[in-house]
Amino acid sequence: MPLQVTGGAVRGSARPLLALALLCSAAPLAAQLPRPTPATPPAMVTQGGTVRSLRVIGNERLEPETVLSYTELAAGQAYDREVLDRALKDLFASELFADVRIRDDGEGNLTIEVRENPVINRVIIEGAKRVKEDKIREEIRVAPRQIFTRSRARADVARILELYRRSGRFAAQVEPKIIQLEQNRVDLVFEISEGPKSKIRQINIIGNERYDDAKLRGEMASRQARPFRIFTSRDTYDPDRLAFDQQKLRQFYLTEGYADFRVVSAIAELTPDRRDFIVTYVLEEGERYRFGEVGLTSQIRDIDAEAFKSLLPMKTGDWYNAKLIEDTINQITETVGLLGYAFADVRPQFRRDRSALTMNVTFVINEVPRVYVESVTINGNTITADDVIRREFRLVEGDAFNSFKVKRSRDRIQSLGFFQEKLEVQQKPGTAPDKVALQVDVEERPTGSIQVSAGYSSLEKLILNFAVEQRNFRGRAQNLRFAVNWSQFSRGIDLGFTEPYLFGRNLALGADVFRRDFSSFRFGGQGERIDTYNQLTTGFQVRTGFPITEYWSASARYGLTFDNVTVDEALFFTDGQCDPIKAGRFICDALGKYTTSLIGYSLAFDSLDNRLRPSRGQRLVLSQDYAGLGGTVNYLRSRLNYDRYRRLFGTGLVLNLGGEVGHIFGLDSEEIRLTDRFFLGEPRFRGFDIRGVGPRVIRKPLLADGTPNPDEDTWANDSVGGRIYYLGRAEIIIPLGSTGDELGLRPSAYVDVGSLWRSNPGPLVSCPNVPLEGELPPIPPGCPSERGSIGFQEFYVGDTASPRISVGVGVNWNSPFGPFRIDIAKAIKQADGDLDQLFQFNVGTQF
């Protein structure tokens, strides 16, 4: 009968039962091995003797000398029954033999008959479906060409069962079998019966008086199995989670002031059907304490204890809170680290007054030597040059240690985007008590990409894109990119290069060359998209940047662009000229060829912990561009952007508060061209259509009685942009844990507020209806005069600073098919003429 080991669980732990099952099942596994025909029992030594000769038989792979080396027997040696018994034990202990016998002919001639353990030919896993076979093989220690032993098989069975136990399958069974082959070889087969996942059917809590069961269950990581919990694994039984729940209960009570709280016992019992567990916690809440006297003392001469008392958030009379104690220790430790004490020792001393139910706390800053940086070591970078990483360090060898600068160094290295998430700079003791060694172990990730993609978006319909980019070109953090894109809305080609450290100095230099073809449009009477004007832009830009301080930086740029704005002459021209009646005065005024010679600068403050996926810090950017250094366009454009990130309530939630404002005005009393104005809408202002916010010219057809048609589906709607805008947002980014990170999912909820105003569309146009018969009305020049022509009237709307507001939810997904963004946003406050849009998405497919 083959060995069979069944995973199970008893009160507290399943391991004792598992060990007993393994010990009791070794013999059946060995019983599958063929045994030699029993020989005549050897003559037993009764009085002992002297070994005259030794002979080994039955060995196939091992040399006789190797077999004898595991015993203490030798020719000329005296022996007795005890000596032979010890030799047998030594041979079996080597785990090389399935069976061993020692024969004695009574005259000192000993024969050792062995049957060697077989060699493993293959290790086969059958029945693994819920747990991947690769994960099981990682746990198995036996391998082909190794010698098979029962103990190794038992150990692997235990490891497999433990793996299933960690995945919540306590009913799993593992049955190891062997298949005999020629030349004393075997195939080892692990037959697995996975069984269902063991759920937590019920969580019972005994001893709680201050808080009800529902409140305490809400503090736990585990959940009771219920039919509606189909997208969670927290209702799966896991002993490790049980231990974690005990800590969660203790943490909850300690933060509520119950300093004497303890979990008396936590018992997990299998249900009678052996499928689920019932978990019972027995609690002892104790009394609730308040803070008594709160103080701080320092044994370090450079640290003034009175100055540090402002870091103590708790006050006498407040409810005792152990979490507040831990946070205060961390705050004091970080602050002391700023003064150069790397391994500051901050310990709270408690004096409990049980009669008054108060907890007196004194924080003691113990004396430690001032620490200096002995070395900075970088490991794991195979592509990125050492100096690319070192120049982001705010500390070098010989500097006084500063914990703030260590964190800043970590943030700057992380923001490069070349390495793994959650990178850490380790602090290790140096060769002397006053020295510390800094070490960063990086794991490089791909920084180059070649992407050919096709997709569809609610903004640009069909999208085709080809892009090549290397963000860490030659391992020097240089950025090189080339991109070509095409859609119904825009087409372009872009080539750029950036050197972040020119000639080894902290000075960035970059250049871009581009050609872009942009088609503007309006929505027709039935919602169809009608192209209005086309803007073809060709140009280049040279830019440079440099730091001013640790957080402040500046950049400058010069750009030269050539624009050609045209319309379809067949649709919008009359007698060789742009017809305001057909196109609108604002479009006719924008036509022509323009040269823009632009010089600008930006001033930025950046304290973000990670520029790619920030969770704390802020960024402020002030930019101004002056067009008029030659060329045919003159204006001054100013923008201010601000973002602040912070984690909420000690959770993984990240709050982003951001805003931007912009203003552009013409120089020498020059009106701002339509193509240079600001536009606002999708995707920056979610809940509104592309260019859906701000001043608009709406052309409404006239009814038979000469009044404008109220049906919006019949209107022609043109955005004319604005010279001033603002946009604000409050967004909460919701973490999904390690699973969400692996899938690349980042959901969020947000509120957007903004407005765009101050524009000059030019004279508005109105044309009357022309009746089929009868007297003709006065027809302005350029208006249709054919009998039966339908007139129209233009209205200028939306030119107001009144805020527009939208709320919504969205999710970013780095899917296997490319980046995917979906938003569902509702515009809850609009102005006349604004175009809202509830659902927005963008998706790309790689092939």
Short mmCIF file of all heavy atoms in Angstrom, two decimals, residues 338 391-395 402-415 423 425 547 549-553 604-611 616-619:
data_model
loop_
_atom_site.label_atom_id
_atom_site.label_comp_id
_atom_site.label_asym_id
_atom_site.label_seq_id
_atom_site.Cartn_x
_atom_site.Cartn_y
_atom_site.Cartn_z
N LEU A 338 18.52 64.07 11.79
CA LEU A 338 18.89 65.27 11.05
C LEU A 338 20.13 65.94 11.64
O LEU A 338 20.85 66.66 10.94
CB LEU A 338 17.74 66.27 11.03
CG LEU A 338 16.45 65.84 10.32
CD1 LEU A 338 15.39 66.91 10.44
CD2 LEU A 338 16.73 65.54 8.86
N ARG A 391 25.51 60.62 -8.33
CA ARG A 391 25.23 62.05 -8.37
C ARG A 391 23.85 62.39 -7.80
O ARG A 391 23.55 63.57 -7.56
CB ARG A 391 25.36 62.57 -9.79
CG ARG A 391 24.35 62.05 -10.79
CD ARG A 391 24.82 62.34 -12.21
NE ARG A 391 23.84 61.93 -13.21
CZ ARG A 391 24.13 61.75 -14.49
NH1 ARG A 391 25.37 61.92 -14.92
NH2 ARG A 391 23.19 61.41 -15.35
N GLU A 392 23.01 61.37 -7.59
CA GLU A 392 21.72 61.60 -6.93
C GLU A 392 21.84 61.52 -5.41
O GLU A 392 20.91 61.90 -4.71
CB GLU A 392 20.69 60.58 -7.42
CG GLU A 392 20.46 60.57 -8.93
CD GLU A 392 19.99 61.91 -9.46
OE1 GLU A 392 19.30 62.64 -8.71
OE2 GLU A 392 20.32 62.24 -10.61
N PHE A 393 22.96 61.00 -4.89
CA PHE A 393 23.16 60.94 -3.45
C PHE A 393 23.40 62.34 -2.91
O PHE A 393 24.19 63.11 -3.47
CB PHE A 393 24.34 60.04 -3.10
CG PHE A 393 23.95 58.61 -2.82
CD1 PHE A 393 23.98 57.67 -3.82
CD2 PHE A 393 23.54 58.23 -1.55
CE1 PHE A 393 23.63 56.35 -3.58
CE2 PHE A 393 23.17 56.92 -1.29
CZ PHE A 393 23.22 55.98 -2.30
N ARG A 394 22.76 62.65 -1.81
CA ARG A 394 22.97 63.94 -1.16
C ARG A 394 24.06 63.86 -0.09
O ARG A 394 24.35 64.85 0.57
CB ARG A 394 21.67 64.43 -0.50
CG ARG A 394 20.48 64.50 -1.44
CD ARG A 394 20.68 65.54 -2.53
NE ARG A 394 21.25 64.95 -3.74
CZ ARG A 394 21.55 65.62 -4.84
NH1 ARG A 394 21.38 66.92 -4.86
NH2 ARG A 394 22.04 65.02 -5.90
N LEU A 395 24.64 62.65 0.07
CA LEU A 395 25.72 62.44 1.04
C LEU A 395 26.90 61.77 0.33
O LEU A 395 26.69 60.93 -0.56
CB LEU A 395 25.26 61.55 2.20
CG LEU A 395 24.25 62.15 3.19
CD1 LEU A 395 23.68 61.06 4.06
CD2 LEU A 395 24.91 63.21 4.05
N ASN A 402 22.98 62.25 7.94
CA ASN A 402 21.75 63.02 8.02
C ASN A 402 20.64 62.16 7.43
O ASN A 402 20.63 61.87 6.23
CB ASN A 402 21.89 64.34 7.23
CG ASN A 402 20.70 65.24 7.41
OD1 ASN A 402 19.56 64.83 7.21
ND2 ASN A 402 20.95 66.48 7.79
N SER A 403 19.71 61.73 8.29
CA SER A 403 18.66 60.81 7.83
C SER A 403 17.77 61.45 6.78
O SER A 403 17.27 60.77 5.87
CB SER A 403 17.80 60.36 9.02
OG SER A 403 17.18 61.47 9.64
N PHE A 404 17.58 62.77 6.87
CA PHE A 404 16.77 63.44 5.87
C PHE A 404 17.44 63.36 4.49
O PHE A 404 16.77 63.11 3.48
CB PHE A 404 16.57 64.91 6.27
CG PHE A 404 15.85 65.72 5.23
CD1 PHE A 404 14.48 65.64 5.10
CD2 PHE A 404 16.56 66.54 4.37
CE1 PHE A 404 13.82 66.37 4.14
CE2 PHE A 404 15.91 67.29 3.41
CZ PHE A 404 14.54 67.21 3.30
N LYS A 405 18.74 63.54 4.45
CA LYS A 405 19.45 63.48 3.17
C LYS A 405 19.47 62.05 2.62
O LYS A 405 19.49 61.86 1.40
CB LYS A 405 20.87 64.01 3.32
CG LYS A 405 20.93 65.52 3.53
CD LYS A 405 22.36 66.02 3.56
CE LYS A 405 22.41 67.54 3.69
NZ LYS A 405 23.81 68.05 3.69
N VAL A 406 19.45 61.06 3.50
CA VAL A 406 19.38 59.67 3.04
C VAL A 406 18.04 59.44 2.34
O VAL A 406 17.98 58.84 1.25
CB VAL A 406 19.57 58.69 4.20
CG1 VAL A 406 19.28 57.26 3.77
CG2 VAL A 406 20.98 58.79 4.76
N LYS A 407 16.94 59.90 2.93
CA LYS A 407 15.63 59.73 2.31
C LYS A 407 15.54 60.50 1.00
O LYS A 407 14.97 60.03 0.03
CB LYS A 407 14.54 60.21 3.28
CG LYS A 407 14.34 59.31 4.47
CD LYS A 407 13.17 59.78 5.31
CE LYS A 407 12.92 58.83 6.47
NZ LYS A 407 11.77 59.26 7.30
N ARG A 408 16.13 61.69 1.01
CA ARG A 408 16.11 62.48 -0.22
C ARG A 408 16.90 61.77 -1.33
O ARG A 408 16.48 61.77 -2.49
CB ARG A 408 16.70 63.86 0.05
CG ARG A 408 16.73 64.79 -1.16
CD ARG A 408 15.35 65.06 -1.68
NE ARG A 408 15.37 65.94 -2.84
CZ ARG A 408 14.37 66.12 -3.67
NH1 ARG A 408 13.23 65.46 -3.48
NH2 ARG A 408 14.47 66.94 -4.71
N SER A 409 18.02 61.16 -0.97
CA SER A 409 18.80 60.40 -1.96
C SER A 409 17.99 59.26 -2.52
O SER A 409 17.99 59.02 -3.74
CB SER A 409 20.08 59.87 -1.31
OG SER A 409 20.88 60.92 -0.80
N ARG A 410 17.29 58.54 -1.65
CA ARG A 410 16.45 57.44 -2.11
C ARG A 410 15.38 57.94 -3.08
O ARG A 410 15.14 57.33 -4.13
CB ARG A 410 15.79 56.77 -0.92
CG ARG A 410 14.84 55.63 -1.27
CD ARG A 410 13.87 55.36 -0.15
NE ARG A 410 13.04 56.53 0.11
CZ ARG A 410 12.29 56.67 1.19
NH1 ARG A 410 12.28 55.76 2.13
NH2 ARG A 410 11.55 57.77 1.35
N ASP A 411 14.72 59.06 -2.74
CA ASP A 411 13.67 59.60 -3.60
C ASP A 411 14.22 60.00 -4.97
O ASP A 411 13.58 59.77 -6.00
CB ASP A 411 13.01 60.80 -2.93
CG ASP A 411 12.23 60.42 -1.68
OD1 ASP A 411 11.99 59.22 -1.48
OD2 ASP A 411 11.90 61.32 -0.89
N ARG A 412 15.40 60.59 -4.98
CA ARG A 412 15.97 61.04 -6.26
C ARG A 412 16.37 59.85 -7.13
O ARG A 412 16.17 59.86 -8.35
CB ARG A 412 17.17 61.95 -6.00
CG ARG A 412 16.81 63.31 -5.43
CD ARG A 412 18.05 64.15 -5.22
NE ARG A 412 18.68 64.47 -6.49
CZ ARG A 412 18.47 65.57 -7.20
NH1 ARG A 412 17.60 66.48 -6.76
NH2 ARG A 412 19.11 65.79 -8.34
N ILE A 413 16.93 58.82 -6.52
CA ILE A 413 17.29 57.62 -7.28
C ILE A 413 16.03 56.94 -7.81
O ILE A 413 15.97 56.50 -8.96
CB ILE A 413 18.11 56.65 -6.41
CG1 ILE A 413 19.45 57.29 -6.01
CG2 ILE A 413 18.37 55.34 -7.15
CD1 ILE A 413 20.23 56.49 -5.00
N GLN A 414 14.99 56.88 -6.97
CA GLN A 414 13.73 56.26 -7.39
C GLN A 414 13.11 57.02 -8.54
O GLN A 414 12.54 56.44 -9.47
CB GLN A 414 12.76 56.23 -6.21
CG GLN A 414 11.50 55.43 -6.46
CD GLN A 414 11.70 53.95 -6.25
OE1 GLN A 414 11.78 53.50 -5.13
NE2 GLN A 414 11.80 53.20 -7.32
N SER A 415 13.24 58.35 -8.51
CA SER A 415 12.61 59.17 -9.54
C SER A 415 13.30 59.05 -10.90
O SER A 415 12.74 59.49 -11.91
CB SER A 415 12.62 60.65 -9.10
OG SER A 415 11.78 60.84 -7.99
N LEU A 423 12.61 51.10 -3.59
CA LEU A 423 14.05 51.02 -3.41
C LEU A 423 14.41 51.62 -2.06
O LEU A 423 13.83 52.62 -1.63
CB LEU A 423 14.73 51.77 -4.55
CG LEU A 423 16.26 51.85 -4.58
CD1 LEU A 423 16.73 51.82 -6.03
CD2 LEU A 423 16.75 53.13 -3.92
N VAL A 425 17.73 52.67 0.75
CA VAL A 425 19.15 52.87 1.05
C VAL A 425 19.40 52.31 2.44
O VAL A 425 18.87 52.82 3.43
CB VAL A 425 19.54 54.36 0.98
CG1 VAL A 425 21.01 54.54 1.34
CG2 VAL A 425 19.27 54.92 -0.40
N PRO A 547 19.91 73.04 -11.52
CA PRO A 547 19.36 73.22 -10.18
C PRO A 547 19.85 74.52 -9.55
O PRO A 547 20.97 74.98 -9.80
CB PRO A 547 19.90 72.00 -9.43
CG PRO A 547 21.20 71.70 -10.12
CD PRO A 547 21.00 72.05 -11.56
N THR A 549 18.80 75.07 -5.93
CA THR A 549 19.03 74.46 -4.62
C THR A 549 18.62 73.00 -4.72
O THR A 549 18.39 72.48 -5.80
CB THR A 549 18.21 75.18 -3.53
OG1 THR A 549 16.81 74.95 -3.78
CG2 THR A 549 18.50 76.67 -3.53
N GLU A 550 18.49 72.34 -3.59
CA GLU A 550 18.10 70.94 -3.58
C GLU A 550 16.72 70.74 -4.20
O GLU A 550 16.46 69.75 -4.88
CB GLU A 550 18.11 70.41 -2.14
CG GLU A 550 17.61 68.99 -1.99
CD GLU A 550 18.46 67.99 -2.76
OE1 GLU A 550 19.66 68.23 -2.96
OE2 GLU A 550 17.91 66.95 -3.17
N TYR A 551 15.82 71.71 -3.99
CA TYR A 551 14.45 71.54 -4.46
C TYR A 551 14.08 72.49 -5.60
O TYR A 551 13.15 72.23 -6.34
CB TYR A 551 13.46 71.75 -3.30
CG TYR A 551 13.58 70.70 -2.22
CD1 TYR A 551 14.16 71.01 -1.00
CD2 TYR A 551 13.13 69.42 -2.44
CE1 TYR A 551 14.28 70.05 -0.02
CE2 TYR A 551 13.23 68.45 -1.46
CZ TYR A 551 13.81 68.77 -0.24
OH TYR A 551 13.93 67.82 0.73
N TRP A 552 14.80 73.59 -5.72
CA TRP A 552 14.48 74.56 -6.76
C TRP A 552 15.36 74.35 -7.97
O TRP A 552 16.55 74.05 -7.86
CB TRP A 552 14.68 75.99 -6.24
CG TRP A 552 13.62 76.43 -5.29
CD1 TRP A 552 13.67 76.39 -3.93
CD2 TRP A 552 12.34 76.97 -5.63
NE1 TRP A 552 12.51 76.87 -3.39
CE2 TRP A 552 11.67 77.25 -4.41
CE3 TRP A 552 11.70 77.27 -6.83
CZ2 TRP A 552 10.39 77.80 -4.37
CZ3 TRP A 552 10.43 77.82 -6.78
CH2 TRP A 552 9.78 78.07 -5.57
N SER A 553 14.77 74.48 -9.15
CA SER A 553 15.53 74.37 -10.40
C SER A 553 14.97 75.36 -11.40
O SER A 553 13.84 75.86 -11.26
CB SER A 553 15.45 72.95 -10.96
OG SER A 553 14.11 72.60 -11.29
N ALA A 604 10.97 75.88 -11.05
CA ALA A 604 10.25 74.74 -10.47
C ALA A 604 10.74 74.43 -9.08
O ALA A 604 11.95 74.51 -8.79
CB ALA A 604 10.42 73.51 -11.36
N PHE A 605 9.78 74.06 -8.22
CA PHE A 605 10.06 73.50 -6.89
C PHE A 605 9.53 72.08 -6.89
O PHE A 605 8.36 71.85 -7.21
CB PHE A 605 9.40 74.33 -5.80
CG PHE A 605 9.54 73.72 -4.42
CD1 PHE A 605 10.65 73.99 -3.64
CD2 PHE A 605 8.55 72.88 -3.91
CE1 PHE A 605 10.78 73.42 -2.38
CE2 PHE A 605 8.67 72.31 -2.65
CZ PHE A 605 9.79 72.59 -1.89
N ASP A 606 10.36 71.11 -6.52
CA ASP A 606 9.96 69.69 -6.60
C ASP A 606 10.48 68.94 -5.39
O ASP A 606 11.69 68.79 -5.21
CB ASP A 606 10.52 69.07 -7.88
CG ASP A 606 9.97 67.67 -8.15
OD1 ASP A 606 9.41 67.08 -7.21
OD2 ASP A 606 10.10 67.18 -9.28
N SER A 607 9.56 68.47 -4.55
CA SER A 607 9.94 67.64 -3.40
C SER A 607 9.20 66.30 -3.43
O SER A 607 9.03 65.66 -2.39
CB SER A 607 9.62 68.37 -2.09
OG SER A 607 8.23 68.57 -1.95
N LEU A 608 8.76 65.86 -4.61
CA LEU A 608 8.04 64.60 -4.73
C LEU A 608 8.96 63.43 -4.39
O LEU A 608 10.15 63.45 -4.72
CB LEU A 608 7.50 64.42 -6.15
CG LEU A 608 6.49 65.47 -6.64
CD1 LEU A 608 6.06 65.15 -8.06
CD2 LEU A 608 5.28 65.51 -5.72
N ASP A 609 8.41 62.40 -3.75
CA ASP A 609 9.20 61.22 -3.43
C ASP A 609 9.45 60.35 -4.65
O ASP A 609 10.41 59.58 -4.70
CB ASP A 609 8.53 60.40 -2.32
CG ASP A 609 7.15 59.89 -2.73
OD1 ASP A 609 6.54 60.50 -3.64
OD2 ASP A 609 6.68 58.91 -2.14
N ASN A 610 8.58 60.46 -5.64
CA ASN A 610 8.72 59.67 -6.86
C ASN A 610 8.00 60.42 -7.98
O ASN A 610 6.81 60.62 -7.92
CB ASN A 610 8.12 58.27 -6.67
CG ASN A 610 8.43 57.34 -7.83
OD1 ASN A 610 8.53 57.77 -8.98
ND2 ASN A 610 8.56 56.07 -7.54
N ARG A 611 8.75 60.82 -8.99
CA ARG A 611 8.13 61.62 -10.05
C ARG A 611 7.20 60.79 -10.93
O ARG A 611 6.33 61.33 -11.60
CB ARG A 611 9.23 62.25 -10.92
CG ARG A 611 10.04 63.31 -10.19
CD ARG A 611 11.20 63.79 -11.01
NE ARG A 611 12.08 64.64 -10.21
CZ ARG A 611 13.28 65.03 -10.61
NH1 ARG A 611 13.74 64.63 -11.78
NH2 ARG A 611 14.02 65.80 -9.83
N ARG A 616 3.89 61.38 -1.87
CA ARG A 616 4.03 62.50 -0.94
C ARG A 616 4.93 63.56 -1.58
O ARG A 616 5.69 63.27 -2.50
CB ARG A 616 4.62 62.05 0.41
CG ARG A 616 5.99 61.41 0.31
CD ARG A 616 6.52 61.03 1.68
NE ARG A 616 7.75 60.27 1.59
CZ ARG A 616 8.95 60.80 1.42
NH1 ARG A 616 9.07 62.11 1.33
NH2 ARG A 616 10.02 60.04 1.35
N GLY A 617 4.80 64.78 -1.07
CA GLY A 617 5.60 65.88 -1.60
C GLY A 617 4.76 66.81 -2.46
O GLY A 617 3.54 66.65 -2.60
N GLN A 618 5.43 67.81 -3.04
CA GLN A 618 4.72 68.79 -3.84
C GLN A 618 5.61 69.26 -4.99
O GLN A 618 6.83 69.14 -4.96
CB GLN A 618 4.28 69.98 -2.99
CG GLN A 618 5.37 70.59 -2.14
CD GLN A 618 4.83 71.60 -1.15
OE1 GLN A 618 3.84 72.26 -1.41
NE2 GLN A 618 5.49 71.75 -0.02
N ARG A 619 4.95 69.79 -6.01
CA ARG A 619 5.65 70.29 -7.18
C ARG A 619 4.96 71.57 -7.65
O ARG A 619 3.74 71.61 -7.82
CB ARG A 619 5.65 69.25 -8.30
CG ARG A 619 6.34 69.73 -9.59
CD ARG A 619 6.41 68.61 -10.61
NE ARG A 619 6.90 69.09 -11.90
CZ ARG A 619 8.17 69.28 -12.22
NH1 ARG A 619 9.11 69.04 -11.31
NH2 ARG A 619 8.53 69.71 -13.40
#
